[in-house]
Amino acid sequence: MLAPPRFTVGVRVTMKVLLVGGGGREHALAWALAASPLLTGLWCAPGNAGIADVAECVPIASEDIPALVAFAKEKAVDLVVVGPEAPLTLGLADACAAAGLRCFGPSAAAARLEGSKTFTREVTTAAGVPGAEWARFSDAGAARAYLREKGAPIVVKADGLAAGKGVVVAETVEEAEAAIAGIMEDRVHGEAGATILLEECLVGQEVSFFALCDGTTALPMAAAQDHKRVGDGDTGPNTGGMGAYSPPPAFTAAIEAEVMGRIVRPSLEEMARRGTPFRGVLFVGLMLTATGPRLIEFNVRFGDPECQVLMLRLQSDLLAALLAACDGELDHFSLRWSNEAALVVVMAANGYPGPYAKHTPIVGLEAASQVPGAQIFHAGTARDENGGLVSAGGRVLGVAGIGHTLREAHDAAYAAVDAVDWPGGFCRRDIGWRAL
Ligand code: AMP
Ligand code: GLY
């Protein structure tokens, strides 16, 4: 197990924090927040068995806005930190503001950058951001006519939130036609499919980049590369993410500067101009194309599992950074990052992303956490009646490693994976292959 970094502060301040969420991303955030000398109390709703080691978990669902606000008021917390997007699109940040609570995460109006793909393309087109040629349709006939004009490959997207499943990268016109019919006519994603986008298919390496935003100032964080397919060699269905590493060698300092200058800052300005400034962490989904970085999508939160590798590399006080973002003070702030590489392997329940069993026993985490350079983040875990660790979700553990090189980080992570005894789970064996 890694000792979290320690920080010293000149002024004595006390900070009580409510963290919302219960996955691997939130365990990483809790671990980093717990290292802050500012922190005097940490609750997590609902948390998981690993988060319980660093925070007091409270059984409030992450989408129960009134109960979260009431709890935060009762404990007089100084900051609410929101992990997942759902509570943000439901207005948790707005409800906190109305109750006089500081909240790290955008308003519902600004969270539309994740909640609506057409909204994002409208904002970023107005801001002159390099993206993909796109068109929106609420009529399937008009969508088909556009498809015949453009041909394949083409990307078909449901406009609204579709649990990460509303995107079809169609290699043929027939595939695209089937996607249009499924999303618009059969409503396989419900009302999220009332409107669709047809987008130019971007080609290149995909990278996730994160920027901390206070409404007017954006501070670059770091980049990571996710592995979305369930199987080795990027095969099989899409998942929430089976592993990640940071930094991705393809994401150079020059590319970062270009992304900040041409994508992040213009988008932030456009959001402010519209009266919906973006405060929180902007997740910039990028395609590194032959003609430079282009925007695939924004999310309004940290990635999972990207957050796990970012937190392992962050050398500044996370709590101080989130406070500066909330208080509009990022222009006086900077973040330090380790030059080391971090890599996380997601261990998921057998069957994921399809149906899977829960409550299967997991042992060996003590041994796994003794592996030099290894760090274990819990996602879907819980305790059984005897206190034993059991699975409680699809993605269950994030087994991470840090090292001087990506190879070292990889080896530490997989040595720890091999120490975990969980017959009910599996993982990809090739996380980081692009860079190794
Ligand atoms: P999203 O739900 O927007 O994250 O899209 C899911 C995945 O679809 C992305 O991670 C990309 O791999 C792919 N994708 C989305 N839009 C495009 C595009 N315009 N060109 C190529 N791939 C895309
Ligand atoms: N790992 C991708 C995501 O968090 O959306």
Side-chain angles (χ1 to χ4, degrees):
M1 200 173 339
L2 298 175
R6 287 275 151 205
F7 310 103
T8 50
V9 277
V11 263
R12 279 214 159 274
V13 203
T14 61
M15 280 289 155
K16 293 190 280 184
V17 176
L18 171 63
L19 173 64
V20 177
R25 164 181 52 212
E26 287 76 26
H27 191 185
L29 292 172
W31 177 80
L33 288 169
S36 171
L38 302 173
L39 190 80
T40 49
L42 180 60
W43 291 272
C44 187
N48 62 37
I51 294 174
D53 290 339
V54 286
E56 187 178 326
C57 295
V58 289
I60 303 174
S62 61
E63 292 169 33
D64 189 345
I65 310 298
L68 292 168
V69 172
F71 181 84
K73 290 281 279 183
E74 179 199 323
K75 297 294 181 189
V77 306
D78 303 285
L79 176 67
V80 178
V81 177
V82 189
E85 69 278 12
L88 294 167
T89 54
L90 292 171
L92 178 54
D94 309 83
C96 285
L101 293 161
R102 209 196 247 125
C103 179
F104 178 76
S107 66
R112 289 187 70 206
L113 285 179
E114 176 156 0
S116 166
K117 294 181 193 300
T118 50
F119 176 74
T120 299
R121 287 295 184 205
E122 279 163 15
V123 167
T124 55
T125 301
V129 165
E133 191 189 347
W134 64 282
R136 73 176 279 186
F137 300 95
S138 45
D139 174 77
R144 288 194 183 93
Y146 181 86
L147 168 63
R148 280 192 292 274
E149 180 197 328
K150 293 291 174 185
I154 196 162
V155 182
V156 185
K157 298 186 172 184
D159 178 49
L161 283 178
K165 299 196 174 83
V167 176
V168 176
V169 180
E171 298 299 334
T172 63
V173 169
E174 292 69 37
E175 231 181 293
E177 274 178 345
I180 292 169
I183 296 172
M184 299 194 84
E185 291 166 350
D186 305 337
R187 292 292 166 94
V188 292
H189 305 301
E191 282 313 296
T195 303
I196 65 160
L197 272 78
L198 293 183
E199 283 188 7
E200 168 193 4
C201 189
L202 303 173
V203 180
Q205 261 199 65
E206 243 182 288
V207 164
S208 310
F209 175 68
F210 299 86
L212 205 55
C213 302
D214 69 3
T216 48
T217 301
L219 207 59
M221 295 190 86
Q225 195 159 49
D226 188 11
H227 299 60
K228 291 194 169 140
R229 302 295 190 114
V230 74
D232 282 13
D234 291 332
T235 54
N238 260 318
T239 70
M242 294 301 293
Y245 64 95
S246 176
F251 195 80
T252 60
I255 292 177
E256 177 176 305
E258 190 175 347
V259 169
M260 288 301 294
R262 296 191 63 199
I263 299 180
V264 176
R265 292 198 178 103
S267 301
L268 203 61
E269 274 166 31
E270 177 63 18
M271 289 298 283
R273 199 189 61 74
R274 289 172 178 238
T276 52
F278 183 87
R279 291 186 197 88
V281 62
L282 190 63
F283 173 152
V284 188
L286 294 164
M287 193 71 86
L288 305 184
T289 73
T291 56
R294 295 218 256 158
L295 181 70
I296 298 175
E297 59 160 359
F298 283 138
N299 295 309
V300 299
R301 52 173 174 83
F302 283 107
D304 188 345
E306 290 96 325
C307 185
Q308 289 82 317
V309 286
L310 254 56
M311 291 306 114
L312 281 172
R313 293 189 53 230
L314 180 64
Q315 292 188 318
S316 303
D317 182 344
L318 176 68
L319 179 50
L322 301 188
L323 288 167
C326 290
D327 295 346
E329 290 173 354
L330 284 182
D331 52 341
H332 310 304
F333 212 86
S334 65
L335 291 169
R336 279 181 303 111
W337 296 90
S338 159
N339 287 327
E340 291 191 309
L343 182 145
V344 63
V345 180
V346 170
M347 298 188 77
N350 292 337
Y352 175 83
Y356 52 82
K358 286 188 185 176
H359 309 297
T360 57
I362 305 165
V363 294
L365 291 200
E366 192 56 42
S369 64
Q370 300 303 319
V371 171
Q375 177 70 35
I376 294 172
F377 296 114
H378 291 229
T381 63
R383 297 276 169 199
D384 66 12
E385 52 283 3
N386 304 315
L389 191 69
V390 294
S391 68
R395 292 191 295 172
V396 171
L397 294 171
V399 181
I402 189 161
H404 296 299
T405 61
L406 188 61
R407 171 59 65 187
E408 272 183 40
H410 168 278
D411 292 353
Y414 277 103
V417 162
D418 291 336
V420 176
D421 183 4
W422 179 34
F426 73 98
C427 67
R428 276 181 64 162
R429 298 297 312 189
D430 66 343
I431 302 304
W433 67 268
R434 263 198 193 79
L436 292 165

